[in-house]
């Protein structure tokens, strides 16, 4: 920062003196230009994506499917099978005499587009159907299409869905529903016969009921965040040994975090935030050392923070804010600095050891007394030294800003002085130089 200030002062000085002492300033400017050559425009290198179908020149798309695409407002003046297609919306197989669509992505549909039964029937060769921002009404599903689809994604589309409608798609491996209200008495209505699922997202869908006790062991991704699910995590969660992501955040789930969570040996990302989970952070969590992202914030978890968390080598995000955790924070500065996000504020009985962590590190918790209890924050004094007050700020965004704002107060002052001093020094030097060289 000081270097930057000095450089800025130098540039300023040069600009001010350029008319008087053109020779010197030009030489300096050239040296500057050499030191910072203009960076070449970085153009993104197009990476060819593997397309399953070999581009064929002879056959074209089945005329029935061309008509269906037209009814969905997708332009067909250009061959929809030619790659890359319009907005990458279509992908075809290589069958003869006509090619068939295997993937269709509809986005930003106008409000009069409707997914009619006729159109869907003509499109029954689709293996993947994705809708984004498509307010069409959902129609009855032709059985050929339900058998064929292995991937279905509906983001802010189809206005509203029912669990029964979704449950027909039994061959899905990938299901994403987000930003769409789904009416069902529970996730089990949708999932009970989808035995091939590997990735499931039903998020922001007003989904009620409780977590299903029988999930499919091949799931790698499970996201039921932002719904209205109740009840506890079933101990049978144990079966999900391939699970990489479990996101149950922002529901009304309660009870303890089951110790069987330690059986999810592949888990990388775990979020249980903004629920009503209580009790301790379970010890078996220590058998998930590959966690990258752990978010247990905004629950009623109590007990102390287990020190095994500091042995999670790959951890980048740790959020334990807004719980009832107590005792001494078991982390040192090198651990905290390694993380991109670290939040523990909002735990009124949690404190940090002043001989391990400086009060400059803004954590939003108090320092401990010698018994490991939080010292109550001293009353703020009105002196100009504002750096010490910051320790007790009730901010929980320490981690996202701490690298920039670490010494916020004093640095402004130091920077100002540095700029002023270097400006004066450079002014004097240049005045001397100029008085010599321009004479
Ligand atoms: C289509 O896909 C290719 C490859 O994935 C990508 O480079 C391109 O930006 C996409 N085009 C559009 C309009 O989305
Ligand atoms: C859809 O609309 C959004 C915003 O209007 C735009 O950013 C996006 O590129 C559009 N997508 C397609 C496929 O037209
Ligand atoms: C799932 O796909 C298979 C063929 O891949 C098919 O025989 C079966 O009928 C489909 N299941 C459903 C419920 O449509
Ligand atoms: C969510 O469900 C509740 C009751 O089940 C209903 O009153 C509410 O309108 C639903 N919200 C949306 C956006 O569908
Ligand atoms: C899980 O995946 C394996 C290998 O991909 C497969 O053999 C098995 O049938 C799948 N199980 C289920 C229940 O789909
Ligand atoms: C969990 O879901 C929420 C809401 O959809 C999202 O903001 C958050 O990033 C997700 N967390 C993880 C760890 O995937
Ligand atoms: C886990 O979350 C991180 C963001 O913190 C994300 O980049 C990564 O893709 C997620 N990994 C999985 C397996 O979901
Ligand atoms: C944590 O809270 C539960 C009630 O939710 C209580 O029974 C238990 O004693 C508490 N444990 C500690 C260590 O405070
Ligand atoms: C900080 O804690 C980690 C994990 O507990 C430990 O490996 C490391 O040696 C500690 N570093 C310092 C400087 O104490
Ligand atoms: C704080 O750390 C020091 C040095 O590791 C240790 O001696 C002391 O007992 C700790 N204090 C508390 C309250 O844990």
């Amino acid at each position: 920062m000081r270097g930057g200030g000095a450089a800025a002062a130098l540039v300023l000085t040069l600009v001010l003196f350029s008319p008087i002492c053109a020779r010197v300033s030009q030489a300096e400017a050239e040296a500057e230009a050499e030191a910072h050559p203009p960076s070449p425009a970085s153009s993104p290198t197009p990476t060819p994506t593997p397309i399953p179908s070999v581009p064929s020149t002879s056959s074209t798309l089945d005329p029935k499917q061309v008509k269906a695409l037209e009814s969905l407002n997708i332009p067909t003046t250009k061959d929809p099978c030619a790659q890359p297609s319009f907005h990458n919306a279509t992908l075809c197989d290589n069958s003869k005499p006509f090619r068939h669509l295997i993937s269709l992505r509809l986005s930003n549909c106008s409000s009069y587009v409707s997914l009619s039964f006729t159109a869907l029937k003509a499109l029954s060769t689709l293996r993947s159907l994705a809708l984004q921002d498509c307010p069409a009404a959902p129609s009855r599903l032709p059985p050929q299409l339900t058998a064929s689809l292995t991937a279905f994604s509906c983001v802010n589309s189809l206005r509203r869905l029912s669990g029964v409608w979704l449950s027909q798609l039994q061959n899905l491996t990938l299901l994403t529903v987000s930003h769409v209200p789904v009416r069902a008495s529970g996730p089990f209505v949708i999932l009970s016969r989808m035995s091939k699922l590997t990735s499931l997202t039903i998020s922001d869908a007003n989904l009620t009921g409780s977590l299903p006790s029988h999930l499919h062991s091949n799931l790698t991704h499970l996201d039921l965040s932002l719904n209205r699910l109740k009840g506890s995590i079933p101990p049978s969660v144990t079966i999900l040994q391939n699970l990489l992501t479990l996101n149950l955040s922002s529901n009304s789930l309660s009870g303890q975090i089951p110790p069987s969570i330690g059986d999810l040996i592949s888990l990388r990302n775990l979020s249980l935030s903004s629920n009503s989970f209580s009790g301790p952070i379970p010890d078996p969590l220590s058998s998930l050392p590959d966690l990258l992202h752990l978010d247990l914030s905004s629950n009623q978890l109590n007990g102390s923070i287990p020190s095994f968390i500091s042995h999670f080598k790959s951890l980048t995000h740790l959020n334990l804010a807004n719980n009832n955790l107590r005792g001494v924070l078991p982390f040192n500065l090198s651990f905290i600095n390694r993380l991109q996000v670290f939040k523990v504020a909002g735990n009124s009985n949690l404190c940090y050891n002043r001989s391990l962590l400086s009060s400059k590190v803004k954590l939003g918790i108090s320092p401990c007394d010698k018994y490991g209890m939080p010292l109550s924050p001293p009353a703020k004094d009105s002196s100009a030294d504002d750096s010490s007050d910051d320790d007790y700020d009730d901010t929980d965004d320490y981690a996202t800003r701490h690298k920039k704002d670490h010494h916020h107060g004093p640095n402004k002052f130091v920077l100002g002085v540095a700029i002023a001093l270097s400006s004066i020094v450079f002014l004097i030097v240049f005045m001397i130089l100029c008085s010599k060289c321009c004479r």
Side-chain angles (χ1 to χ4, degrees):
M1 269 197 185
R2 273 182 234 191
L10 171 60
V11 170
L12 192 71
T13 319
L14 287 174
V15 168
L16 286 173
F17 277 78
S18 55
I20 310 172
C21 202
R23 269 187 304 160
V24 175
S25 66
Q26 197 179 340
E28 289 276 348
E30 272 164 18
E32 178 88 339
E34 256 171 41
H36 305 280
S39 58
S42 55
S43 54
T45 46
T47 46
T49 47
I51 295 162
S53 56
V54 182
S56 146
T57 46
S58 52
S59 48
T60 47
L61 187 59
D62 185 336
K64 273 191 298 189
Q65 299 201 325
V66 172
K67 263 180 81 181
L69 289 182
E70 281 164 355
S71 80
L72 297 172
N73 230 13
I74 292 187
T76 53
T77 44
K78 201 183 133 212
D79 180 5
C81 292
Q83 292 298 324
S85 57
F86 176 72
H87 286 311
N88 288 341
T90 47
L91 193 62
C92 303
D93 68 5
N94 255 342
S95 50
K96 305 244 160 118
F98 294 120
R99 300 176 73 177
H100 290 113
L101 285 165
I102 53 174
S103 169
L104 176 62
R105 193 148 62 84
L106 295 176
S107 43
N108 296 353
C109 309
S110 71
S111 49
Y112 59 82
V113 164
S114 84
L115 276 180
S116 68
F117 183 80
T118 320
L120 289 179
K121 189 146 189 263
L123 296 173
S124 289
T125 55
L126 286 177
R127 287 180 234 151
S128 167
L129 175 60
L131 306 161
Q132 165 120 29
D133 302 311
C134 256
S139 101
R140 195 156 56 89
L141 286 168
Q144 301 95 315
L145 183 62
T146 60
S148 168
L149 277 185
T150 59
F152 178 67
S153 164
C154 175
V155 177
N156 192 30
S157 300
L158 299 182
R159 300 176 198 169
R160 54 174 49 251
L161 290 172
S162 79
V164 174
W165 191 89
L166 283 170
S167 71
Q168 302 169 77
L169 302 169
Q170 288 168 28
N171 272 338
L172 292 184
T173 58
L174 201 148
L175 172 60
T176 300
V177 175
S178 151
H179 255 22
V180 192
V182 174
R183 193 166 27 81
S185 51
F188 76 94
V189 174
I190 303 163
L191 304 175
S192 57
R193 285 182 294 173
M194 286 185 195
S195 57
K196 298 175 185 168
L197 277 182
T198 59
S199 173
L200 172 64
T201 298
I202 304 177
S203 175
D204 194 9
N206 206 20
L207 192 62
T208 53
S210 55
L211 292 172
S213 52
H214 291 98
L215 284 160
H216 307 292
S217 55
N218 280 359
L219 272 176
T220 59
H221 180 93
L222 177 55
D223 180 349
L224 297 173
S225 61
L226 293 163
N227 285 301
R228 301 195 296 132
L229 298 172
K230 291 202 177 77
S232 56
I233 299 179
S236 56
V237 70
T238 274
I239 197 171
L240 303 174
Q241 306 229 324
N242 297 308
L243 205 61
L244 298 172
T245 305
L246 177 59
N247 194 339
L248 302 175
S249 64
S250 302
N251 280 287
S252 304
L253 298 166
S254 56
Q256 300 211 353
I257 300 173
S260 56
I261 200 123
D263 294 337
L264 305 180
I265 48 173
S266 307
L267 210 58
R268 297 288 178 278
N269 289 353
L270 174 61
S271 177
L272 304 177
S273 70
S274 302
N275 280 288
S276 300
F277 290 113
S278 56
I281 298 174
D283 279 341
L285 206 62
S286 66
S287 48
L288 307 179
D290 296 329
L291 278 178
L292 298 171
H293 194 128
L294 177 60
D295 188 350
L296 304 177
S297 62
S298 301
N299 282 290
Q300 285 120 48
L301 299 173
N302 66 7
S304 57
I305 297 180
S307 59
F308 63 72
I309 290 179
S310 69
H311 299 131
F312 289 170
K313 295 257 175 328
S314 319
L315 202 65
T316 61
H317 289 61
L318 177 61
N319 192 345
L320 303 173
N322 303 316
N323 280 291
N324 301 323
L325 298 165
R326 57 166 52 247
V328 185
L329 193 69
F331 305 130
N332 60 24
L333 197 58
S334 56
F335 173 78
I336 293 173
N337 279 340
R338 194 158 58 74
L339 300 176
Q340 287 163 33
V341 171
F342 177 73
K343 298 183 183 183
V344 290
N347 289 282
S348 52
N349 292 315
L350 192 66
C351 60
Y352 67 89
N353 186 331
R354 268 184 297 189
S355 36
L356 296 178
L357 292 174
S358 144
S359 62
K360 292 252 161 54
V361 183
K362 287 202 250 167
L363 299 172
I365 56 175
S366 304
C368 301
D369 64 16
K370 60 182 172 182
Y371 308 107
M373 302 296 284
L375 283 171
S376 50
K380 290 191 181 187
D381 66 87
S382 54
S383 77
D385 178 14
D386 59 352
S387 63
S388 60
D389 289 350
D390 291 345
D391 302 341
Y392 307 106
D393 276 358
D394 202 14
T395 56
D396 63 359
D397 57 353
Y398 148 77
T400 41
R401 298 185 304 129
H402 75 288
K403 272 162 191 143
K404 271 184 275 171
D405 281 16
H406 210 175
H407 303 290
H408 188 73
N411 253 4
K412 260 189 191 163
F413 181 68
V414 170
L415 187 64
V417 170
I419 289 175
L421 277 179
S422 42
S423 303
I424 291 168
V425 168
F426 278 111
L427 265 171
I428 293 170
V429 167
F430 273 88
M431 285 171 88
I432 293 171
L433 266 176
C434 285
S435 67
K436 283 194 178 160
C437 77
C438 298
R439 202 181 292 161

